[in-house]
Amino acid sequence: MYHYNPETALEELTEDAALPHPVHVRDMIVRSELSPDRAIELNRKFQGYLHAFGEAQSVARSILEDLVKS
């Protein structure tokens, strides 16, 4: 159970996330029938989401790596 095992959590970090993976979010945006203005607006929001998602993974990875070393 990954809740108590940092090694397992580290392995699953790239597989399971509570947030939708940015690739899936991007695909949802692309497949939607949006006006050009709305598409630009959502793309700008998506860029922020992409950055935040990557940062969260990086912080979590660092914490889990430190725990694995302990």
Side-chain angles (χ1 to χ4, degrees), residues 28-54:
M28 287 183 249
I29 292 170
V30 169
R31 291 178 179 158
S32 297
E33 295 180 18
L34 303 171
S35 69
D37 290 340
R38 185 74 172 133
I40 289 170
E41 176 188 348
L42 286 180
N43 188 55
R44 287 185 181 135
K45 286 183 179 182
F46 172 72
Q47 293 303 316
Y49 180 74
L50 185 61
H51 179 73
F53 190 89

Side-chain angles (χ1 to χ4, degrees), residues 19-28 46 49-50 53-54 57:
L19 297 171
H21 194 279
V23 169
H24 298 150
V25 174
R26 182 205 61 214
D27 289 348
M28 287 183 249
F46 172 72
Y49 180 74
L50 185 61
F53 190 89
Q57 276 191 316

Side-chain angles (χ1 to χ4, degrees), residues 1-9 12 64 67:
M1 190 166 181
Y2 81 88
H3 299 289
Y4 303 105
N5 187 331
E7 288 180 276
T8 303
E12 292 179 353
L64 294 171
L67 286 171

